[in-house]
Amino acid sequence: MSEGLDQPRLGLGAEADEEQRGPEGELEADEPQAETQAEPQVDAEAEPAVEPDEDLPAEEDELPRLRAPEHAAGDLRIPSGYGIIEGEPNGARRSVGVVVARFNGELTGELLSRALDELERVGVGREAVTVVPVPGAFELPLAAMALAKTRRYSCIVALGAVVRGDTPHFDYVASEAASGLQLAGLETGVPVAFGVLTVDSEEQARERLDKGAEAVRTALEMADVFARLRAAAGGSDDRS
């Protein structure tokens, strides 16, 4: 009886030992898994230290930097001893033609207002000013050419506003307006001042509305230069 009882006890002990070994075996089998799980953690810790980020400033240096438009300070200085023929924005005895685009009318209307104020300030009477509205900036050169060919005006002031959009339309209109107005002056010999805003936004245009007055001063100065040139060449000082 004692042997029969001892055998089951040995069997239970054996099973208990196996059960005890089982978890140990499982723990031993899990150890490699724990090691494999630890490997990603090492990689995760290494991720923040990425060296290419340190090279970003060098790449940024290679890119062109956008700068606010600036004009060089200071005035033109001509050495003494040379003959100088220089005009002044004097409106006395001048007749002026103004061509202005209706497109973007709120902007061009302000350009026109400032141009007319400047004409009055420098002495050009209202009766000596002719204003010719046209549909848009593209039509400015043709109107300027027609006015110049009448020979009734000392100079022409062209006013317009071209704002960049989503299509190449801006480039074509701005380019043709500039080249066409220059051609009108070259072919007729009458000064044509470029008072056309070519901007990226309405905000930029509003910051440059003084271009209307500036164009008036430019046109009158060039008209005075031409009159002085004729006088220096022995002709009459025709200020009409």
Side-chain angles (χ1 to χ4, degrees):
M1 292 294 293
S2 62
E3 292 177 1
L5 291 173
D6 291 339
Q7 290 176 357
R9 288 176 183 174
L10 290 173
L12 290 171
E15 292 176 0
D17 291 342
E18 289 176 2
E19 290 176 358
Q20 291 177 358
R21 290 192 192 97
E24 290 178 358
E26 293 175 359
L27 289 174
E28 292 176 0
D30 290 340
E31 287 178 0
Q33 296 178 0
E35 291 178 359
T36 56
Q37 292 176 356
E39 291 177 0
Q41 294 179 358
V42 175
D43 295 338
E45 292 178 358
E47 287 178 359
V50 180
E51 295 181 356
D53 291 340
E54 298 178 355
D55 297 333
L56 288 178
E59 295 178 357
E60 291 178 355
D61 291 339
E62 296 176 359
L63 296 176
R65 296 182 181 274
L66 297 178
R67 297 181 180 179
E70 298 178 355
H71 298 285
D75 297 327
L76 172 66
R77 294 183 180 180
I78 301 174
S80 60
Y82 295 91
I84 300 174
I85 298 177
E86 185 176 10
E88 296 179 359
N90 186 357
R93 297 172 57 193
R94 303 288 187 206
S95 56
V96 179
V98 180
V99 291
V100 56
R102 285 194 297 266
F103 194 77
N104 287 324
E106 186 175 349
L107 298 173
T108 59
E110 185 62 28
L111 285 170
L112 176 62
S113 176
R114 300 193 187 193
L116 295 177
D117 289 344
E118 185 66 14
L119 286 169
E120 185 175 357
R121 188 187 71 81
V122 297
V124 181
R126 293 192 177 190
E127 69 283 354
V129 178
T130 300
V131 179
V132 179
V134 296
F138 192 81
E139 289 74 31
L140 289 173
L142 183 60
M145 179 82 78
L147 281 176
K149 284 184 175 181
T150 65
R151 301 295 173 181
R152 295 177 52 191
Y153 303 98
S154 303
C155 56
I156 309 297
V157 178
L159 304 173
V162 187
V163 182
R164 187 182 297 276
D166 297 329
T167 68
H169 183 73
F170 168 91
D171 299 308
Y172 296 124
V173 173
S175 176
E176 292 303 317
S179 60
L181 289 171
Q182 183 185 46
L183 182 63
L186 292 174
E187 286 198 357
T188 63
V190 176
V192 178
F194 186 77
V196 181
L197 300 178
T198 53
V199 294
D200 291 328
S201 66
E202 182 179 345
E203 181 181 1
Q204 287 184 353
R206 294 190 179 281
E207 293 173 354
R208 293 162 173 80
L209 290 175
D210 283 337
K211 188 72 173 179
E214 179 185 331
V216 166
R217 293 191 294 271
T218 299
L220 289 174
E221 180 178 338
M222 291 303 297
D224 195 41
V225 167
F226 280 24
R228 292 172 186 265
L229 279 171
R230 288 191 295 268
S236 62
D237 185 3
D238 185 7
R239 293 173 177 267
S240 61

